[in-house]
Structure formats: structure tokens, C-alpha cells
Amino acid sequence: MRGLPSFPIPDLRECMDAALRVAYLTNPYAKFVGVAVDTSRLGEQEAKDYLQQKEQELGLVTVDPVRNGVARIVDRMI
């Protein structure tokens, strides 16, 4: 939320819940199969730890598409 310092950054789960509510308007079977995260501002180990933490927290495959590619997410889609 750059440029809005008085507005707190919403939690990832909160954003996902909001996105699903909107998706259900057109597809009642919509679901998440994975999460893509930009970890470019983190060191290699920090990024790995963060992705692992989010994967456990959300119960979804979590990757940085640039560092890791998206194969793990695509595998969940097929």
C-alpha cells in the first residue's frame, strides 16, 4: 500500500477471503490452488523460510515464481 502510510497492509488470508467472495459471484466452485509471492527484497534463506511459513499457514503451495518457478502450482491445477 505504497503512498497510503495510514492504511494498514491487509493480512494475506484476509485478501484471499475477499478474492474468493468475489470469485464466487461467477463461479461457485472457485478455489485457490497456490500462492505466488514476491520475495525479491529478501535474502535466499529468508525467502525460503517465509515461503515455507506461508505454505504451512495457508495450507497451499507457496512459491516465488521468479526464484522457484510455478511448476508446483501448475501441478495442482492439472
Side-chain angles (χ1 to χ4, degrees):
M1 302 297 227
R2 289 176 231 142
L4 300 172
S6 62
F7 191 81
I9 296 174
D11 176 76
L12 183 55
R13 174 60 78 184
E14 196 178 331
C15 291
M16 292 171 67
D17 291 344
L20 268 182
R21 283 194 304 275
V22 172
Y24 290 153
L25 295 173
T26 57
N27 180 356
Y29 305 105
K31 66 179 183 175
F32 282 97
V33 295
V35 178
V37 178
D38 176 3
T39 63
S40 62
R41 294 182 181 205
L42 302 176
E44 196 65 38
Q45 188 60 48
E46 276 182 302
K48 184 178 178 179
D49 293 345
Y50 181 80
L51 293 172
Q52 187 175 43
Q53 173 194 359
K54 289 299 169 189
E55 189 159 312
Q56 289 175 354
E57 180 184 314
L58 301 170
L60 293 167
V61 171
T62 305
V63 300
D64 180 324
V66 175
R67 287 184 197 244
N68 316 113
V70 294
R72 291 181 63 218
I73 293 176
V74 171
D75 289 345
R76 292 285 181 121
M77 294 172 63
I78 53 175

